[in-house]
């Protein structure tokens, strides 16, 4: 099947990009996106100082600085939407390089209907860039092994320089691609050439790390990394997203653990079949081993730097391997099991995307509309997450981060906005002189109106 001339494929990609545009416009701004947007409004020297205090490298914030158009969802996401188009292009090139016609079919079903990819390649953060870089470098890595071309290695090297600028955990991915590329060319005439550029990459990475990494930063963790639970949870999230079943539900409800275990078992069967097929192909076997080394290095480092494995999105650089293993495994499975699995996959992900758009658990646009409709100008608004609220609401000097609420003594009426992460009764007692006269909830966001 030649995807370039396949009309149905091209129509599918077009419809996917149209829907992705709709999703980019309708999905509410997240906390990290709003923080990135407001940070980028500073002058360059202030922005650099903010980046040095953050745990992430500078590329995301510089993209916001240079390319944000306005304070709308698509105004801050349009560049990432463009990046996702290039990701589709390299996914096509990658699939044509290593998959047969049957495997391509399942590869694209997983890609085009993935709620995880839809979300992570839309949100204006580093993970969309990481996905593009990992797909493109995977393609060039495999191309170089098949037949060395100087242009292929140039692009491989060029894209590799963006890994340390974009997201620290993904550096392990490109590092081991270099290591395996050099090792398996140790007797070729290209060995010194590859080694020279690898040394340049290492030097550049240490330079970025030295300039921007905030030494001594600590981070709260939801997972106990040493148990390794992040790995099966990430595989589940890669396939089904985190809208219907997430870490908090698994931690608190045994019913979700049963569903999770069943689907993980099924996915592992497919991935084991895919693993056996990949092992039989030399180039893909080398690619697999480089990813495995990357994964275990991240796991080891995360025992000392927990933020490295904070979420499945932090492992998105491994998604290309996941796609290849899964598509090969599905193609090898029994047709009835395959059909049942794909049916569940499509229904689950359609519902997940519906929840993200229409039942979003932290819709700060809705919160700003409630405050706009009911608040008087002399009333204080205390917000747990100030940035996403102010993205939609023109905040004045009476809209205040809740952590600073105790500094203000001259209020008689206040609005309180917080999510499920916030513990008012445990952390603050200054509301004991107030009476609640209005409250409303949507998803995880709660809005209260208090009066003395």
């Amino acid at each position: 099947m030649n995807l370039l001339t396949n009309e149905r494929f091209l129509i599918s990609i077009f419809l996917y990009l149209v829907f992705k545009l709709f999703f980019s416009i309708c999905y509410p701004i997240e906390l990290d996106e709003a923080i990135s947007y407001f940070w980028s409004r500073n002058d360059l020297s202030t922005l650099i100082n903010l980046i040095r205090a953050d745990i992430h490298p500078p590329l995301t914030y510089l993209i916001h600085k240079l390319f944000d158009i306005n304070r709308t969802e698509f105004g801050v996401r349009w560049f990432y939407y463009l990046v996702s188009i290039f990701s589709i292009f390299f996914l096509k090139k990658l699939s044509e390089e290593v998959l047969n016609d049957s495997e391509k079919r399942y590869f694209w079903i997983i890609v085009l209907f993935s709620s995880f990819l839809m979300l992570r390649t839309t949100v204006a953060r580093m993970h969309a860039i990481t996905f593009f870089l990992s797909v493109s470098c995977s393609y060039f890595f495999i191309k170089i092994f098949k037949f060395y071309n100087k242009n292929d290695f140039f692009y491989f090297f060029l894209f590799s320089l963006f890994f340390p600028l974009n997201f620290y955990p993904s550096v392990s991915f490109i590092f081991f691609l270099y290591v395996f590329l050099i090792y398996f060319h140790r007797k070729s005439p290209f060995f010194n050439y590859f080694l020279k550029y690898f040394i340049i990459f290492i030097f550049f990475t240490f330079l970025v790390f030295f300039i921007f990494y905030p030494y001594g930063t600590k981070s709260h963790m939801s997972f106990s990394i040493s148990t390794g639970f992040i790995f099966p949870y990430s595989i589940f999230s890669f396939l089904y997203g985190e809208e219907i079943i997430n870490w908090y539900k698994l931690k608190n409800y045994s019913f979700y653990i049963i569903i999770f275990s069943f689907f993980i078992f099924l996915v592992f069967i497919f991935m084991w079949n895919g693993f056996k097929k990949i092992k039989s192909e030399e180039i893909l076997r080398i690619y697999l081993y480089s990813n495995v080394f990357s994964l275990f290095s991240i796991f080891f480092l995360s025992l000392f730097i927990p933020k490295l494995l904070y979420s499945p999105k932090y492992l998105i650089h491994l998604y290309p391997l996941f796609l290849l293993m899964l598509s090969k495994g599905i193609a090898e499975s029994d047709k009835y099991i395959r059909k049942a699995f794909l049916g569940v996959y499509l229904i689950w992900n359609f519902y997940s995307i519906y929840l993200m758009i229409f039942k979003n658990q932290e819709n700060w646009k809705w919160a700003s509309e409630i405050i706009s409709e009911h608040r008087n100008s002399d009333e204080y608004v205390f917000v747990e997450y100030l940035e996403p609220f102010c993205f939609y609401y023109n905040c004045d000097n009476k809209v205040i981060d809740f952590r600073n609420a105790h500094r203000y003594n001259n209020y008689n009426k206040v609005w309180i906005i917080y999510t499920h992460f916030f513990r008012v009764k445990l952390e603050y007692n200054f509301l004991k002189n107030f009476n609640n006269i209005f409250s409303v909830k949507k998803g995880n966001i709660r809005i209260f109106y208090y009066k003395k």
Side-chain angles (χ1 to χ4, degrees), residues 402 416 418 422-429 431 450:
F402 205 109
I416 309 292
Y418 65 92
F422 187 68
R423 297 172 294 174
V424 176
K425 292 181 180 178
L426 296 178
E427 299 183 24
Y428 299 97
N429 59 16
L431 291 174
Y450 290 97

Side-chain angles (χ1 to χ4, degrees), residues 183-228:
Y183 177 78
F184 283 96
H185 286 84
R186 64 191 182 279
K187 295 181 181 180
S188 80
F190 309 117
F191 173 78
N192 290 333
Y193 183 72
F194 291 160
L195 183 61
K196 178 179 69 174
Y197 282 95
F198 178 54
I199 292 171
I200 294 173
F201 165 76
I202 293 294
F203 176 78
F204 181 76
T205 299
F206 274 106
L207 184 64
V208 172
F209 193 80
F210 176 77
I211 294 173
F212 292 105
Y213 187 76
Y215 300 96
T217 299
K218 294 183 179 180
S219 173
H220 167 74
M221 281 299 304
S222 299
F223 296 95
S224 175
I225 295 298
S226 60
T227 66

